[in-house]
Amino acid sequence: MIPTTDWGDLRRFFAGLTEFTFEARVGIADPTLVDYVTELLTRFSHYDEIYRVKNLYGRRLDQVSDMLLEAETRPAPLNREVHRHIGDFTLFWSGLYPEALRWMQAAPRKDAVLNYKELGKRAYRIASTIPPADNPEENTVLERLSHDYELCLYGLNELRREWERRDDAPPALPPLG
C-alpha cells in the first residue's frame, strides 16, 4: 500500500503536468476539466482503479464490451458510474497508451470490434445526463469530456510526451553558492 503522502506527491505531479500541458500545449484553460483529468490520472495509477468495475459475481471486467453490458443491468444511479468509468477507461488508454489498444482490441477479444473513441464520448454523454448522488457539477465536466473527447485525447498524448521528455532530461544541478 502506498502511503497517503505519496498519493499527494503523485497528485501534485499530475496536477502540474496536466495544467501545463492542457493550458500551454492544447489551449484548454478549464480548471474543472484539468482537475478531473488530474484525478483520473491519480486514480488510474492504481491497477485496481483501472479495473474497478465488477460484474454481479465480483469478477473484474477488463473489456469495454463487458462494462457496457454491466451498465445495462444496473439501475440509473449505479449505471452512471459504469458509464463514467467507460469514458475514463477509454480516454486513459487511448490518450496515454494508444499502443496498448493493439492488444486490447485484438481478435479474439470482444473489444476488437469496438471504437473506443466513439464509446468513450457516448459513455461520458450518458453519464452526464444521469443526476449524480453527491456532486451535481460533475455532470458539466462529463458533458465537456464528451464534447471535447478528441481534444482531451490529444492533451493526454501531449502529457505523455512531456513526462517522457522530462524523464530523458538530465537531473537538475543544485544552485552554486
Side-chain angles (χ1 to χ4, degrees):
M1 182 103 180
I2 298 175
T4 306
T5 55
D6 289 344
W7 284 109
D9 291 344
L10 185 61
R11 191 201 177 288
R12 280 188 294 281
F13 169 75
F14 283 136
L17 193 58
T18 304
E19 185 176 336
F20 169 77
T21 305
F22 274 60
E23 288 183 16
R25 294 246 174 104
V26 182
I28 296 178
D30 180 342
T32 307
L33 182 66
V34 169
D35 287 348
Y36 187 91
V37 173
T38 296
E39 293 304 322
L40 167 66
L41 295 172
T42 305
R43 275 187 295 119
F44 275 32
S45 66
H46 195 282
Y47 180 83
D48 288 340
E49 280 297 313
I50 296 173
Y51 298 104
R52 75 182 181 127
V53 176
K54 296 181 172 102
N55 67 11
L56 294 174
Y57 304 105
R59 185 177 68 84
R60 180 179 289 152
L61 303 179
D62 65 351
Q63 294 189 66
V64 172
S65 55
D66 292 332
M67 292 178 208
L68 288 167
L69 289 172
E70 189 61 29
E72 297 305 315
T73 66
R74 295 185 182 188
L78 298 175
N79 75 355
R80 177 189 190 279
E81 287 307 305
V82 177
H83 283 294
R84 184 177 71 88
H85 185 78
I86 291 168
D88 290 350
F89 185 90
T90 59
L91 184 66
F92 176 81
W93 287 110
S94 300
L96 281 180
Y97 301 107
E99 69 277 6
L101 298 181
R102 284 190 298 268
W103 175 81
M104 294 172 76
Q105 296 183 295
R109 294 177 57 86
K110 292 179 263 184
D111 283 5
V113 297
L114 300 182
N115 180 326
Y116 273 18
K117 181 177 82 170
E118 291 306 315
L119 287 172
K121 289 173 70 165
R122 179 178 172 267
Y124 279 136
R125 188 178 66 253
I126 291 169
S128 77
T129 64
I130 301 169
D134 55 351
N135 185 3
E137 293 87 32
E138 189 176 82
N139 277 3
T140 304
V141 75
L142 294 176
E143 185 179 332
R144 174 97 194 260
L145 283 161
S146 174
H147 184 265
D148 293 334
Y149 191 87
E150 291 91 349
L151 194 56
C152 291
L153 282 177
Y154 175 72
L156 285 174
N157 191 268
E158 287 297 309
L159 187 142
R160 179 177 171 186
R161 282 192 185 129
E162 182 63 26
W163 97 41
E164 287 175 344
R165 186 187 67 74
R166 290 177 185 209
D167 284 347
D168 291 339
L173 297 174
L176 296 175

XYZ file of all heavy atoms in Angstrom, residues 53 61 66-75 78-80 82-83 86:
147
model
N -14.567 -1.898 -12.184
C -15.926 -2.348 -12.490
C -15.949 -3.875 -12.441
O -15.141 -4.542 -13.092
C -16.400 -1.834 -13.868
C -17.769 -2.400 -14.214
C -16.430 -0.315 -13.876
N -14.020 -6.701 -14.632
C -14.268 -6.573 -16.064
C -13.126 -5.795 -16.701
O -12.848 -4.665 -16.313
C -15.607 -5.875 -16.304
C -16.824 -6.551 -15.656
C -18.090 -5.760 -15.944
C -16.962 -7.986 -16.125
N -17.818 -5.793 -21.957
C -18.403 -6.337 -20.730
C -18.905 -5.228 -19.810
O -19.929 -5.370 -19.146
C -17.384 -7.206 -19.992
C -17.053 -8.486 -20.746
O -17.911 -8.978 -21.505
O -15.919 -8.983 -20.578
N -18.175 -4.111 -19.776
C -18.612 -2.972 -18.959
C -19.927 -2.407 -19.487
O -20.800 -2.028 -18.703
C -17.537 -1.883 -18.943
C -16.272 -2.261 -18.225
S -15.076 -0.897 -18.333
C -13.541 -1.788 -18.229
N -20.068 -2.346 -20.806
C -21.316 -1.856 -21.405
C -22.488 -2.743 -21.029
O -23.568 -2.246 -20.681
C -21.182 -1.787 -22.932
C -20.298 -0.676 -23.473
C -19.989 -0.914 -24.950
C -20.956 0.674 -23.270
N -22.290 -4.044 -21.081
C -23.356 -4.976 -20.681
C -23.699 -4.795 -19.212
O -24.869 -4.816 -18.832
C -22.933 -6.421 -20.959
C -22.884 -6.827 -22.428
C -22.273 -8.211 -22.577
C -24.264 -6.773 -23.042
N -22.691 -4.603 -18.398
C -22.917 -4.407 -16.962
C -23.687 -3.122 -16.708
O -24.582 -3.081 -15.854
C -21.579 -4.384 -16.212
C -21.702 -4.404 -14.725
C -22.385 -5.644 -14.164
O -22.306 -6.722 -14.778
O -23.011 -5.530 -13.082
N -23.379 -2.074 -17.433
C -24.093 -0.801 -17.267
C -25.579 -0.978 -17.568
O -26.420 -0.352 -16.913
C -23.491 0.275 -18.170
N -25.902 -1.818 -18.527
C -27.304 -2.037 -18.895
C -28.079 -2.795 -17.821
O -29.300 -2.704 -17.762
C -27.393 -2.787 -20.231
C -26.817 -2.015 -21.393
C -27.417 -0.633 -21.560
O -28.658 -0.512 -21.476
O -26.657 0.322 -21.768
N -27.385 -3.531 -16.963
C -28.072 -4.319 -15.939
C -28.266 -3.548 -14.638
O -28.984 -4.009 -13.759
C -27.293 -5.612 -15.610
O -26.047 -5.273 -15.000
C -27.055 -6.441 -16.866
N -27.638 -2.393 -14.513
C -27.704 -1.630 -13.265
C -28.735 -0.509 -13.351
O -28.915 0.088 -14.414
C -26.341 -1.047 -12.917
C -25.324 -2.135 -12.630
C -24.024 -1.546 -12.177
N -23.041 -2.606 -11.959
C -21.870 -2.392 -11.424
N -21.512 -1.182 -11.046
N -21.029 -3.390 -11.243
N -29.350 -0.171 -12.214
C -30.281 0.963 -12.205
C -29.522 2.286 -12.373
O -28.313 2.362 -12.163
C -30.949 0.870 -10.837
C -30.011 0.064 -9.999
C -29.258 -0.842 -10.929
N -26.433 3.677 -10.364
C -25.233 2.838 -10.450
C -24.676 2.767 -11.862
O -23.468 2.713 -12.043
C -25.540 1.434 -9.934
C -25.963 1.345 -8.467
C -26.359 -0.075 -8.106
C -24.859 1.846 -7.552
N -25.550 2.776 -12.868
C -25.017 2.684 -14.226
C -24.311 3.972 -14.639
O -23.469 3.969 -15.515
C -26.073 2.244 -15.235
C -27.074 3.297 -15.614
O -27.099 4.404 -15.078
N -27.932 2.952 -16.554
N -24.621 5.083 -13.981
C -23.916 6.338 -14.240
C -22.425 6.154 -13.982
O -21.586 6.581 -14.777
C -24.464 7.459 -13.350
C -23.718 8.771 -13.510
C -24.171 9.783 -12.451
N -23.653 11.086 -12.721
C -22.413 11.469 -12.399
N -21.597 10.659 -11.791
N -22.014 12.691 -12.692
N -20.730 3.372 -14.017
C -20.134 2.465 -15.004
C -19.894 3.222 -16.307
O -18.818 3.099 -16.903
C -21.007 1.217 -15.229
C -20.402 0.329 -16.315
C -21.170 0.428 -13.935
N -20.851 4.021 -16.742
C -20.648 4.804 -17.967
C -19.502 5.803 -17.788
O -18.679 5.973 -18.700
C -21.933 5.537 -18.371
C -22.940 4.651 -19.007
N -22.745 4.043 -20.225
C -24.160 4.242 -18.598
C -23.788 3.324 -20.555
N -24.668 3.419 -19.566
N -16.352 3.890 -18.123
C -16.060 3.540 -19.520
C -15.423 4.739 -20.219
O -14.439 4.592 -20.951
C -17.339 3.080 -20.250
C -17.803 1.726 -19.705
C -17.104 3.000 -21.763
C -19.204 1.319 -20.136
